[in-house]
Amino acid sequence: MSSNSPTEINRFGGGENIERPLGRSILRGLACTCPACGSGRLFKAFLKPVATCSACGEDLSHQRADDLPPYIVIMIVGHVLLGGYMMTDLVFVLSTWVHLAIWVPIAVITSLLIIQPIKGSVIGLQWALRMHGFGQPSEPPEDYDQRYPPQ
């Protein structure tokens, strides 16, 4: 059947059997675009994700990136700044106050610049792995009523 056949249905967004490549979804999130289509905006405010994609209609309201993006930012910024501080300290003899005047603003600015793309990539990761409401709801176990009888 050709791709332009009138009987074939084109589905965009959250079909239940749609393929969700992990790398592509993370890269789309890193670009702050919808992990499903790659064209809709992922954020409506600095760190507030949209409820649904304006381009494909994918429901993104269930995402819970929570604490993972700040931890990743701390790991990246901490390692880069520690290396920069140590290299600078080997070359130039500077007082602690000068180091604070240099490295604190760099740490704050760098953290603010990378937190949104990192949060987008975490949302892309969750979407690709069907975590936190991005997939089909799980079925309760068959013996659920026996284990948890109504009271």
Side-chain angles (χ1 to χ4, degrees), residues 2 4 11 22 41 44 52-53 90 104 108 127:
S2 70
N4 294 333
R11 295 191 186 272
L22 183 64
R41 291 182 44 183
K44 64 181 173 184
T52 58
C53 176
L90 288 173
V104 170
V108 170
W127 181 84

Side-chain angles (χ1 to χ4, degrees), residues 9 17 40 69 72 76-77 88 94 108 113 120 130 134 144 148:
I9 299 172
N17 295 326
I72 295 172
I76 292 171
V77 172
T88 307
L94 301 172
V108 170
L113 288 175
R130 301 176 192 272
F134 284 118
Y144 181 83
Y148 307 103

Side-chain angles (χ1 to χ4, degrees), residues 69-82:
Y71 288 133
I72 295 172
V73 168
I74 289 169
M75 290 290 293
I76 292 171
V77 172
H79 282 82
V80 170
L81 278 131
L82 180 64

